[in-house]
Amino acid sequence: MAGVIAVCNLAMMNNKIVKQREAESKAAFAEAYKVFMHPRCMNCHPAGDVPLQGDDSHLHTQGVKRGVDGKGLYAMKCSSCHQAANLDGDHLPPGHPNWHLPTAARPMVFEGKSPRELAMSFKDAKFTGFKSMDQIIEHVEHDKLVQHSFTYGTRPPLSHDEFVAKVKEWIGKGAAIPDK
Amino acid sequence: MQLTVNGKSYDVNVPSDMPILWVIRDKLGLMGTKFGCGAAQCGACTVHLDGQGIRSCVAPVSRAEGKEIVTIEGLNDTLSKPLMAAWTEIDVPQCGYCQTGQIMAAAVLLRDNNNPTDQDIDNAMSGNICRCATYQRIRKAIHLAAELKKSSS
Ligand code: FES
Ligand code: FES
């Protein structure tokens, strides 16, 4: 009898821990989501084939388009205007050697997605093209364009370190899918 | 700094962050390329760097080291002939100021696409501003230039 109670207690405790980890995972995603949907991140993860610009995420002027490789079309390649580094002065293009959007085959759309939809997308290898969730961490932690987003213009609401910590926590605690 | 422009080699003594546009106009005297906005907004200053259309008003000359710049003066015949013929036939320019950039952008399109549709033309050209709004004639001239290029090759 005592043994049965002990096992039940353990199961209830386990259940409580699981629930708590799940709640913490969802809470971490909710924080990271604020960054994912911030213009510095979302502007390069648009719903269409035109990148977005500015803090109001308007369609990129000049009508530039993604192109197959995410680097633009014809004489409107990203690197036609975006240099290897930011240019000094107002309204001049920011820069990085690898300025680009996701490719046409894998556009990785963030725009318009709820936390639940975005988290589900991240767990879908067809969406990310990543072999494991660890590669999401790799992307947010080390991708140079992601890093650039934390150094230019209106900054996302978390620092890069805080953001990476939240993504790690979300994944580490089971990559729970938010309710909405 | 060693530069190659239109197939010629130049030794220029300029700061490495000087825009390519300044170098080709003020140092090399190649005046065909125009200054419109100086902020990568209009396309008037388009030249080719290793075959890619770039806005020379914002591209530092250091970017061109070891590469080949082509300006409208040096555009090769396979592209310049049909473009020139089509532009003349359709009588495209009004004031003409933007037209160097238009032609250099159109050249990249024609090189990469033998049968540009209206959508391809929009995709390639919508970043080149024309204050005189010659857009419809530019569209016509690109279609004609594509025909001329095909028939000559
Ligand atoms: S002058 Fe270079 S884009 Fe306008
Ligand atoms: S012809 Fe005048 S700006 Fe284009």
Side-chain angles (χ1 to χ4, degrees):
Chain A
M1 188 63 187
V4 172
I5 290 171
V7 168
C8 281
N9 277 345
L10 204 66
M12 271 163 64
M13 240 169 68
N14 267 345
N15 202 11
K16 209 173 142 195
I17 291 170
V18 167
K19 280 254 165 328
Q20 189 176 335
R21 273 171 65 84
E22 191 183 310
E24 285 169 2
S25 178
K26 287 180 186 177
F29 188 85
E31 285 301 301
Y33 178 79
K34 293 179 195 161
V35 175
F36 292 129
M37 301 313 273
H38 187 274
R40 286 296 81 67
C41 289
M42 194 189 70
N43 283 1
C44 288
H45 291 270
D49 280 332
V50 179
L52 308 174
Q53 271 183 322
D55 289 346
D56 60 354
S57 297
H58 58 266
L59 295 178
H60 194 300
T61 52
Q62 292 103 7
V64 291
K65 292 254 182 88
R66 181 191 306 278
V68 176
D69 61 0
K71 295 185 174 175
L73 286 169
Y74 304 114
M76 288 211 287
K77 298 269 181 3
C78 306
S79 60
S80 298
C81 300
H82 295 276
Q83 309 299 315
N86 298 339
L87 293 171
D88 284 338
D90 287 344
H91 310 299
L92 286 173
H96 182 273
N98 193 27
W99 202 263
H100 70 286
L101 288 184
T103 63
R106 197 165 273 126
M108 290 200 207
V109 176
F110 290 8
E111 190 186 7
K113 288 198 170 156
S114 69
R116 184 176 176 80
E117 288 166 336
L118 192 62
M120 282 167 61
S121 298
F122 287 164
K123 293 179 79 168
D124 175 2
K126 283 208 277 302
F127 176 92
T128 60
F130 297 153
K131 290 195 181 64
S132 72
M133 296 295 279
D134 286 347
Q135 278 183 278
I136 294 184
I137 296 174
E138 168 76 20
H139 178 69
V140 299
E141 191 165 19
H142 298 297
D143 182 275
K144 295 281 185 282
L145 277 183
V146 172
Q147 290 175 350
H148 181 276
S149 305
F150 290 83
T151 63
Y152 180 83
T154 307
R155 309 294 197 272
L158 304 182
S159 72
H160 184 241
D161 284 350
E162 289 165 337
F163 170 57
V164 172
K166 291 296 175 193
V167 175
K168 283 184 174 167
E169 187 181 355
W170 173 59
I171 293 172
K173 289 182 174 169
I177 302 287
D179 303 327
K180 285 188 193 151
Chain B
M1 184 182 301
Q2 202 69 27
L3 284 183
T4 308
V5 184
N6 300 334
K8 266 209 237 162
S9 198
Y10 296 89
D11 210 357
V12 289
N13 187 12
V14 293
S16 62
D17 62 350
M18 181 180 274
I20 291 172
L21 180 60
W22 270 240
V23 179
I24 57 182
R25 283 184 61 90
D26 292 0
K27 301 288 171 190
L28 308 183
L30 295 165
M31 303 299 221
T33 310
K34 303 301 180 209
F35 172 90
C37 64
Q41 298 285 331
C42 74
C45 64
T46 303
V47 301
H48 299 173
L49 183 64
D50 277 357
Q52 195 199 319
I54 61 154
R55 300 193 165 193
S56 63
C57 67
V58 290
V61 66
S62 56
R63 192 176 159 186
E65 254 188 313
K67 298 192 173 144
E68 163 91 28
I69 297 172
V70 171
T71 68
I72 188 134
E73 291 92 342
L75 189 62
N76 78 46
D77 283 357
T78 35
L79 294 167
S80 70
K81 280 196 171 152
L83 283 164
M84 211 188 291
W87 248 248
T88 311
E89 169 72 27
I90 308 288
D91 208 0
V92 176
Q94 186 164 320
C95 80
Y97 200 82
C98 70
Q99 297 293 332
T100 299
Q102 306 285 1
I103 289 169
M104 293 305 275
V108 174
L109 170 64
L110 279 195
R111 186 197 61 207
D112 294 350
N113 185 337
N114 276 326
N115 299 297
T117 61
D118 278 352
Q119 183 62 57
D120 294 330
I121 294 173
D122 288 348
N123 288 344
M125 304 298 298
S126 62
N128 283 73
I129 309 296
C130 174
R131 293 175 302 185
C132 308
T134 60
Y135 302 112
Q136 297 307 326
R137 295 204 293 275
I138 292 170
R139 182 189 300 289
K140 261 197 201 163
I142 291 176
H143 282 304
L144 176 58
E147 290 307 316
L148 295 173
K149 179 166 170 273
K150 269 188 290 184
S151 59
S152 72
S153 62

